[in-house]
Amino acid sequence: MTRVSRRDAPPVSGSFSTEALWNDRQMLGTSSEDGRALRREAEQVVNEVAQELRTLDEGTSWFSALSPAGRQAVLQEVAGYAMQAHITPADGREGVARSGVKPTANPSVMICMDPPRYGFAALPADEHVKAFRVLVSVFSIADTRRRQTYCKGTCGHTWHNLPPR
């Protein structure tokens, strides 16, 4: 049995972002600055896709060029965005249809469950691109709804006010 030292264990803060940061560092084997840079880039790409400043295919090409560990970290990050956007089962179904991924594929089934399942980074590597397409498509649906309702006219979120590329 392998014993995990406190230094190697995730923080016990209960905070999603603190645990996600620890997971990124562990998966990427990089410094916290490299992890932050990847998260910033992922945030930019995903929000550009959501706001139709970049196509889903362009976003998928960016994602596919990442290392396997980078893809896992980005899947975790985008799943967090989807949770924060409060996706609904209807968003899941519409996003899957938009993603081009079969409705019977694991990521499609996971996102359409009520409540959705978010273990996308733990899927086999050959499903990561499908998971990315599904997550970004579903996030795009939910985030667009929130921009048009909750944030309409009063939004100060920088990621909702991206300049054209």
Side-chain angles (χ1 to χ4, degrees):
M1 176 184 346
T2 303
R3 187 174 181 142
V4 176
S5 73
R6 287 190 61 65
R7 185 174 60 86
D8 295 332
V12 187
S13 69
S15 159
F16 174 79
S17 61
T18 302
E19 187 172 333
L21 175 60
W22 180 85
N23 288 336
D24 284 354
R25 280 192 221 151
Q26 295 302 309
M27 285 192 297
L28 292 171
T30 58
S31 71
S32 60
E33 183 56 38
D34 291 339
R36 279 192 294 273
L38 179 60
R39 282 191 303 283
R40 281 192 304 270
E41 189 173 2
E43 179 183 323
Q44 182 76 27
V45 170
V46 169
N47 279 289
E48 286 176 355
V49 172
Q51 295 172 42
E52 298 180 348
L53 300 172
R54 181 185 297 240
T55 67
L56 180 57
D57 288 340
E58 289 172 328
T60 302
S61 292
W62 168 83
F63 178 79
S64 296
L66 297 173
S67 70
R71 288 192 295 267
Q72 285 180 306
V74 168
L75 287 174
Q76 260 189 324
E77 192 73 13
V78 180
Y81 301 162
M83 282 181 8
Q84 290 174 351
H86 304 285
I87 64 170
T88 66
D91 295 337
R93 290 186 298 274
E94 187 177 344
V96 167
R98 186 183 289 186
S99 73
V101 175
K102 290 181 182 180
T104 55
N106 285 331
S108 300
V109 171
M110 291 167 65
I111 203 72
C112 289
M113 296 176 103
D114 191 13
R117 303 300 185 269
Y118 289 101
F120 297 96
L123 287 169
D126 65 337
E127 296 208 43
H128 286 174
V129 169
K130 289 184 239 176
F132 179 80
R133 291 183 69 89
V134 166
L135 278 170
V136 171
S137 296
V138 172
F139 169 74
S140 295
I141 303 287
D143 195 57
T144 298
R145 182 185 65 249
R146 289 179 61 83
R147 281 193 319 273
Q148 292 172 347
T149 56
Y150 178 74
C151 288
K152 189 172 186 171
T154 62
C155 185
H157 298 122
T158 56
W159 59 88
H160 282 168
N161 296 295
L162 296 176
R165 294 191 321 147

